[in-house]
Amino acid sequence: MSDETASPPASTPTTRRRRGGLTFLRDVVIILVIALAVSFLVKTFVVRSFYIPSASMNDTLLVNDRILVDELTPKFGEYSRGDVVVFRDPGGWLPSTPSPQRPPIVEATDWLLSLVGLSAPDSDDHLIKRVIGTPGDHVVCCNALGQTEVNRVPLVEPYVKLAPGATAPAPVPYDITVPQGSLWVLGDNRNSSKDSRYNQDQPGKGFVPIDNVVGRAFLITWPFGRFGAIDFHHEVFAGVPSPETAP
């Protein structure tokens, strides 16, 4: 008796094409899922995208500029004078405005894009300003030349937008010491910025809790003509002593 074994039927070209198409589709889905997961993790823990809703930071940042915000600083570092930071409203800084109703498909699309950092639907709920005082700093406005002083050192601020013919912003007098765990922040467009100066009557007395800070803005990504790093102008504060050594 012969010892022959039956061989499996050969697959047809149609079957091979079908299997190849399914394999390709599976690989595409896996790549998309991995890309979305990586984008979500980066957006959640590393960087976020925001747009600029107001002119309070002109000319450093313009209305509708898109920026990237470093979220690692609040987790592993400290903020320095000159840093440009994005933060949640400490309470009473932003007017209460109802959100307009949008079609469900628009809401869903915006939500999906926000997961990977391509949309920033909560930009209107946040503010962006420049750090002038860090914990312990004594900040005063203004001296005889209209300059802000930090720990008795007057600041020469090239980033401040001035009215035509003016040599200093309109003075808003204050004399404060920044408490621990807080920041004192001002807009570069001093004459059009409702910043720490204008919120001293709020419960937080104009100070921004560091816990409210989302991160440090570091890059303009849109429009392409303005693409580039955001200047923190740390050199402006180079001569400011620490609060412990201030005279």
Side-chain angles (χ1 to χ4, degrees), residues 34-170:
I34 292 174
L36 287 172
V38 170
S39 297
F40 174 75
L41 291 173
V42 168
K43 179 257 182 184
T44 303
F45 300 107
V46 183
V47 295
R48 286 184 65 180
S49 174
F50 285 91
Y51 71 85
I52 304 302
S54 76
S56 69
M57 284 295 291
N58 282 12
D59 290 324
T60 303
L61 299 170
L62 305 181
V63 175
N64 291 327
D65 277 357
R66 287 272 178 173
I67 61 171
L68 290 183
V69 175
D70 150 38
E71 295 186 283
L72 293 178
T73 299
K75 298 179 177 67
F76 303 107
E78 297 179 346
Y79 293 103
S80 301
R81 307 180 193 102
D83 288 350
V84 176
V85 295
V86 171
F87 55 96
R88 296 184 299 277
D89 185 354
W93 287 44
L94 292 172
S96 299
T97 54
S99 300
Q101 290 292 327
R102 300 191 297 177
I105 186 64
V106 175
E107 290 284 355
T109 301
D110 207 22
W111 178 78
L112 286 172
L113 292 175
S114 71
L115 291 180
V116 295
L118 297 179
S119 177
D122 57 350
S123 292
D124 288 330
D125 300 329
H126 291 71
L127 300 101
I128 183 166
K129 308 292 179 190
R130 190 179 297 273
V131 176
I132 301 299
T134 54
D137 282 342
H138 181 207
V139 189
V140 177
C141 182
C142 300
N143 64 14
L145 297 178
Q147 297 168 306
T148 300
E149 294 187 349
V150 181
N151 299 335
R152 299 191 180 183
V153 175
L155 304 180
V156 178
E157 302 178 275
Y159 45 79
V160 171
K161 182 178 177 65
L162 300 175
T167 59

